[in-house]
């Protein structure tokens, strides 16, 4: 019992310390517009009990999921294609390097011109995922065990069997690691695109509205929600990736 209490105090200590610092700075600043206190933000968090809050969160999560699935599918598929074709590799790899090097804000602004605000968050999120999944999966495929490949050749596996039994299992760890890394990037890019594109029913739109109307307490409350959502998504993806890797190794 004493050990559990010490563990709880050790975990909660840093949070209590920084909340105290936040409260002290808020009292010194003495301006709810510049820095509202923790109590003001907590009062704003009562919106969690409202249907509109869950509708907003649900739509942002749906956009993130759509962007993530598109990005993972496209990144993995392009990695396989480039592994099979040198021509495709020479064309696609430089393009994805350019995508990875370009600031996400540039894509968001261009997408607003091309497709309108409703599709921008999905596109922005997907573009953050594709290059990471592509490069990791491509490296995983290239690192397939030469001895296993030689065995497949000796036993005349053929292309399909070689890929399904040797190459893709070898790339499974790299692929799942990339998927685990990308979920946070995808979510943050989607929310950033919502802030700029301001679609209906979006967490990013509420962040933007809070900033426009100088509702700093609401802005911090929505930021806190974003942090919790991001941590939750990363935790779920980490557990999922662990199960996938375990299944791949036992298969």
């Amino acid at each position: 019992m004493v050990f559990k209490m010490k563990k709880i105090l050790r975990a909660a200590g840093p949070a209590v310390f920084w909340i105290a610092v936040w409260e002290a700075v808020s009292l010194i600043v003495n301006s709810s517009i510049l820095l509202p206190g923790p109590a003001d933000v907590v009062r704003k968090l009562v919106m969690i009990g409202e249907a509109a809050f869950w509708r907003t969160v649900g739509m942002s999560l749906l956009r993130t999921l759509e962007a993530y699935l598109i990005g993972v599918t496209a990144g993995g598929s392009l990695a396989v294609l480039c592994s099979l074709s040198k021509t495709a590799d020479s064309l696609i790899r430089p393009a994805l390097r350019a995508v990875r090097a370009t600031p996400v804000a540039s894509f968001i602004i261009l997408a607003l011109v091309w497709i309108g605000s409703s599709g921008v968050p999905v596109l922005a999120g997907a573009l953050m995922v594709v290059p990471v999944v592509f490069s990791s999966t491509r490296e995983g495929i290239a690192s397939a065990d030469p001895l296993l490949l030689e065995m497949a050749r000796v036993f005349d596996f053929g292309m399909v069997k070689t890929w399904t039994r040797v190459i893709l299992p070898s790339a499974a760890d790299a692929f799942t690691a990339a998927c685990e890394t990308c979920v946070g990037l995808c979510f943050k890019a989607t929310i950033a695109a919502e802030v700029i594109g301001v679609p209906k029913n979006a967490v990013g739109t509420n962040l933007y509205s809070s900033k426009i109307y100088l509702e700093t307490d609401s802005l911090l409350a929505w930021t806190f929600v974003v942090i919790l959502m991001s941590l939750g998504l990363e935790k779920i993806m980490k557990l999922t990736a662990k199960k996938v890797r375990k299944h791949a190794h036992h298969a």
Side-chain angles (χ1 to χ4, degrees), residues 1-220:
M1 184 68 180
V2 175
F3 175 76
K4 287 185 178 179
M5 186 60 67
K6 286 182 178 179
K7 191 174 181 180
I8 292 171
L9 290 173
R10 194 180 298 115
V16 172
F17 171 78
W18 287 113
I19 289 173
V21 170
W22 175 9
E23 176 67 22
V25 174
S26 176
L27 291 172
I28 293 169
V29 172
N30 195 27
S31 171
S32 60
I33 293 178
L34 291 177
L35 184 64
D40 296 323
V41 176
V42 169
R43 279 193 289 270
K44 280 293 180 179
L45 286 173
V46 297
M47 62 184 174
I48 290 175
E50 300 173 359
F53 169 83
W54 292 107
R55 184 166 56 249
T56 298
V57 168
M59 287 301 297
S60 289
L61 287 175
L62 188 62
R63 293 185 187 99
T64 301
L65 178 61
E66 187 178 353
Y68 183 74
L69 292 176
I70 291 172
V72 167
T73 303
S77 300
L78 289 173
V80 172
L81 175 62
C82 290
S83 298
L84 292 170
S85 170
K86 290 184 179 180
T87 302
D89 189 52
S90 64
L91 293 173
I92 293 171
R93 191 189 288 265
L96 291 181
R97 283 177 181 165
V99 169
R100 195 167 188 172
T102 304
V104 65
S106 298
F107 285 120
I108 294 170
I109 294 168
L110 285 171
L112 281 170
V113 176
W114 294 336
I115 60 176
S117 62
S118 60
V120 170
V122 175
L123 178 62
L127 286 174
M128 290 298 101
V129 174
V130 173
V132 179
V133 173
F134 171 84
S135 60
S136 294
T137 307
R138 183 77 175 81
E139 290 173 9
I141 291 172
S143 65
D145 191 337
L147 294 177
L148 291 177
L149 293 173
E150 179 63 20
M151 180 198 71
R153 187 188 66 79
V154 170
F155 285 95
D156 195 23
F157 274 18
M159 180 181 289
V160 175
K161 195 173 180 181
T162 300
W163 271 86
T164 56
R165 296 290 183 87
V166 178
I167 298 176
L168 292 182
S170 299
D173 284 348
F175 176 75
T176 53
C179 291
E180 188 178 338
T181 301
C182 284
V183 67
L185 291 173
C186 181
F187 176 69
K188 291 165 190 172
T190 303
I191 297 299
E194 288 178 347
V195 172
I196 297 176
V198 288
K200 188 178 179 181
N201 293 325
V203 171
T205 299
N206 281 278
L207 286 168
Y208 178 78
S209 298
S210 299
K211 175 254 184 184
I212 288 295
Y213 295 109
L214 298 178
E215 297 174 346
T216 312
D217 51 353
S218 180
L219 178 62
L220 289 175

Side-chain angles (χ1 to χ4, degrees), residues 215-231:
E215 297 174 346
T216 312
D217 51 353
S218 180
L219 178 62
L220 289 175
W222 277 108
T223 301
F224 182 68
V225 170
V226 169
I227 292 170
L228 289 181
M229 289 170 68
S230 180
L231 291 173

